[in-house]
Amino acid sequence: AKISETARALIKRSQTEVERTMEYVQLVLMLTGSVLVLVIVITGFVLRRWINKGVRNITRSLNLLTEHKFNLSVQSVGPAEMHVIASQLNKVIESTGDSLKMVTTNCETLYQTAGVSHSAAEETKASLDKQNHSLNEMVSTVCELQGAIREIAKVASESYEESRIAASDSIQGGKVIEE
């Protein structure tokens, strides 16, 4: 009975020790779990904030692009993926800006060319108007000349006719004198 009593006391002491150890392990596990949950929640908030900062940066830059502001550069903020997106967006902004500059330059060149063409067309029209006026004067002069030539031809024809009559009369007068 004495051994049983001692064994019971040892078992009771061991049982108490095991229960204390289990309570201690349970407390350590709960504290560790709580700390891990707290770290995960804080890390989640930090990651969310970090990712949202990058997304807001990209969104703000895209909004500026929709307002045709091509002189900006997107900052690389947030995770590596946001850096890649920012880099690609900067390339798009640069190429779009270059394209707009080229289109603007081409439009200005076309506008200047159109102005030169308009001036050339006005000068050509004025020159053609002068040529038309000169041709009308030439036609008028040629018509007058034609009338004068007809008059001269008529006078020459009449003179020829009269000289033929005179030659015939002269021949006849010469025959009369010879007889």
Side-chain angles (χ1 to χ4, degrees):
K2 197 172 186 184
I3 294 181
S4 288
E5 210 41 53
T6 311
R8 251 187 246 141
L10 279 174
I11 289 173
K12 184 77 171 154
R13 208 179 322 140
S14 293
Q15 188 178 0
T16 305
E17 188 69 31
V18 168
E19 285 175 358
R20 249 187 297 151
T21 304
M22 283 177 52
E23 286 174 3
Y24 178 75
V25 168
Q26 188 179 12
L27 181 65
V28 168
L29 285 176
M30 296 239 328
L31 284 174
T32 305
S34 297
V35 168
L36 283 176
V37 167
L38 185 63
V39 167
I40 289 171
V41 168
I42 290 173
T43 303
F45 281 123
V46 169
L47 282 174
R48 181 176 177 209
R49 189 167 176 232
W50 186 45
I51 290 170
N52 281 341
K53 189 174 183 182
V55 169
R56 278 193 306 272
N57 180 51
I58 298 293
T59 304
R60 183 175 50 251
S61 298
L62 288 172
N63 285 335
L64 289 172
L65 284 178
T66 61
E67 296 171 6
H68 306 287
K69 295 180 179 173
F70 297 100
N71 57 350
L72 63 103
S73 179
V74 181
Q75 296 175 352
S76 296
V77 177
E81 293 80 3
M82 294 298 169
H83 289 247
V84 170
I85 292 171
S87 172
Q88 295 299 320
L89 190 55
N90 281 332
K91 288 178 184 176
V92 168
I93 291 169
E94 183 180 344
S95 68
T96 304
D98 290 345
S99 295
L100 284 175
K101 287 176 188 172
M102 187 183 313
V103 167
T104 302
T105 301
N106 289 344
C107 285
E108 288 172 355
T109 302
L110 285 173
Y111 182 75
Q112 291 171 352
T113 303
V116 169
S117 295
H118 179 72
S119 296
E122 289 292 324
E123 289 177 17
T124 301
K125 182 184 178 296
S127 176
L128 288 174
D129 286 345
K130 285 180 185 176
Q131 286 179 351
N132 188 33
H133 180 69
S134 296
L135 285 173
N136 284 337
E137 287 179 354
M138 282 178 55
V139 166
S140 177
T141 303
V142 167
C143 286
E144 289 174 10
L145 190 59
Q146 183 181 16
I149 290 173
R150 279 191 192 136
E151 191 64 35
I152 291 171
K154 182 178 170 189
V155 169
S157 178
E158 288 174 359
S159 292
Y160 172 74
E161 199 52 45
E162 286 181 15
S163 72
R164 208 171 48 92
I165 291 172
S168 172
D169 286 347
S170 158
I171 291 175
Q172 208 168 359
K175 283 184 187 177
V176 168
I177 293 179
E178 278 180 16
E179 280 177 24

